[in-house]
Amino acid sequence: MQTTGDGRKDRTNGPIPPPDGAALTLEQLYRQGRAALAALSGAGENSPMEAAFLFRKVFGIGREELLLRGQEPAPEGLSGEYRALIRRRAQGEPLQYLLGEWEFYGLNFFVGPGVLIPRPETELLVDAALASVRDLPSPALLDLCSGSGCIPIALGHALPEAQVWGVELSPDALGYFWRNLAAHGLPRVAAVAGDVFALPAAVTGRRYHAVTANPPYIPRGELPGLQAEVRREPPLALDGGEDGLDFYRRLPGICFPLLEPGGWLLLEIGEGQGEAVSALLAAAGFRSVRVERDLSGLERLVRGQR
Ligand code: GLN
């Protein structure tokens, strides 16, 4: 946004006009952003947190420092940047895309349009995979539908002796995966471009102690009804076909021969998919198949052992 220097341009474009003649203080500016987001359906209750995240991105000032420095005048240019982010958020852009990064498993990941935002409930999949290889000195792990790379990178970070491969189809998502890999500096984690239904030779030439995936699992008909923010995420990462189970029909058969005997397949699932996905794993020859719930008590993953 172009500012004229007197803040008038902001007044016509932004949801939060500054009062006549007065430069806002940092505290006032933060509060105005918060108020603009409070009106946002769905994000209203998170508006203090979201406004604080955007404020920190622009000003480099967290909420605690804001308590100390709140009466300082807000610099014009940065105020415009903050207002622009608040406005985009109020129009439904995901907070995480506006920030350009998000936390998963205690680690920072670059995210943005074109890649699925890492979800806290997916940390259960990382925990389960780590537990499944706990007693192995240098396990080999494969992650499918890797997106930003949050799962393989979290695994590689927790297991410095492991070798981890992640496969992703979307060039946009792969861009984030590569960037994240470079940022985390994990030489034993590899990002591989490829289709999980026609896996590249780079990953089929060996066997794994665990295979993980958070595939698309939302029934196609439910996509238009999803929360506005989720509809900004790539459909490729969400669309699980007619009943949401397309990937679960094929991945067990594809993964079984890639696993070491005793190795585990661990798949994130959506609410209510536990029974169907368990049956598909059992039909592909997996034993000890079981469903695990997340902290909200929802079915969140299915695992089975070769
Ligand atoms: N957990 C995501 C959601 O419900 C879906 C991710 C996926 O399809 N794997 O928004």
Side-chain angles (χ1 to χ4, degrees):
M1 173 172 47
Q2 295 296 311
T3 53
T4 56
D6 65 356
R8 283 180 194 283
K9 190 76 176 189
D10 283 351
R11 188 173 331 198
T12 52
N13 288 351
I16 39 175
D20 279 337
L24 291 185
T25 66
L26 289 171
E27 171 71 17
Q28 286 169 325
L29 185 70
Y30 159 72
R31 283 173 179 275
Q32 288 194 349
R34 195 177 68 181
L37 294 187
L40 180 64
S41 74
E45 70 208 51
N46 291 326
S47 57
M49 182 274 279
E50 297 212 359
F53 267 110
L54 294 173
F55 195 88
R56 191 180 59 189
K57 178 179 172 63
V58 174
F59 291 95
I61 295 175
R63 265 199 273 195
E64 278 158 30
E65 202 181 345
L66 184 57
L67 288 177
L68 300 174
R69 298 181 50 191
Q71 301 318 309
E72 293 178 21
E76 186 66 36
L78 293 181
S79 301
E81 268 180 49
Y82 174 70
R83 289 197 187 95
L85 288 177
I86 291 283
R87 184 169 57 246
R88 288 168 61 187
R89 180 69 196 94
Q91 288 166 352
E93 281 190 56
L95 175 71
Q96 296 89 337
Y97 285 178
L98 295 173
L99 295 172
E101 53 190 15
W102 197 240
E103 184 268 341
F104 176 80
Y105 217 80
L107 303 169
N108 193 55
F109 290 90
F110 296 116
V111 295
V115 73
L116 188 80
I117 297 162
R119 311 286 207 262
E121 54 271 25
T122 301
E123 294 181 354
L124 182 68
L125 187 62
V126 175
D127 283 333
L130 291 176
S132 77
V133 297
R134 195 170 28 212
D135 300 325
L136 303 171
S138 55
L141 302 162
L142 175 65
D143 180 65
L144 304 177
C145 311
S146 294
S148 63
C150 62
I151 295 167
I153 289 171
L155 291 171
H157 194 268
L159 299 170
E161 302 304 318
Q163 295 215 60
V164 189
W165 287 261
V167 179
E168 173 54 45
L169 179 63
S170 150
D172 287 342
L174 265 174
Y176 291 100
F177 192 171
W178 280 320
R179 257 183 93 192
N180 284 321
L181 212 41
H184 287 279
L186 296 169
R188 296 168 75 88
V189 181
V192 179
D195 183 346
V196 299
F197 296 140
L199 281 171
V203 297
T204 54
R206 58 165 311 132
R207 287 187 176 184
Y208 301 90
H209 299 97
V211 177
T212 53
N214 173 17
Y217 55 66
I218 301 189
R220 190 166 295 151
E222 291 179 16
L223 294 175
L226 293 175
Q227 205 187 321
E229 287 79 2
V230 182
R231 283 188 271 111
R232 302 280 185 124
E233 294 186 273
L236 186 70
L238 300 169
D239 183 348
E242 211 59 47
D243 61 357
L245 299 175
D246 279 7
F247 284 74
Y248 305 112
R249 283 197 190 86
R250 298 176 65 184
L251 287 184
I254 291 169
C255 295
F256 193 88
L258 292 177
L259 282 162
E260 296 277 6
W264 288 88
L265 175 64
L266 306 113
L267 301 175
E268 178 166 324
I269 58 166
E271 205 181 333
Q273 294 177 327
E275 201 182 316
V277 176
S278 296
L280 290 164
L281 261 70
F286 286 92
R287 58 194 174 80
S288 310
V289 175
R290 61 177 188 267
V291 178
E292 287 175 30
R293 291 175 186 273
D294 63 21
L295 293 172
S296 315
L298 302 175
E299 292 183 339
R300 187 55 65 187
L301 79 83
V302 174
R303 60 153 94 199
Q305 191 171 27
R306 169 161 184 180

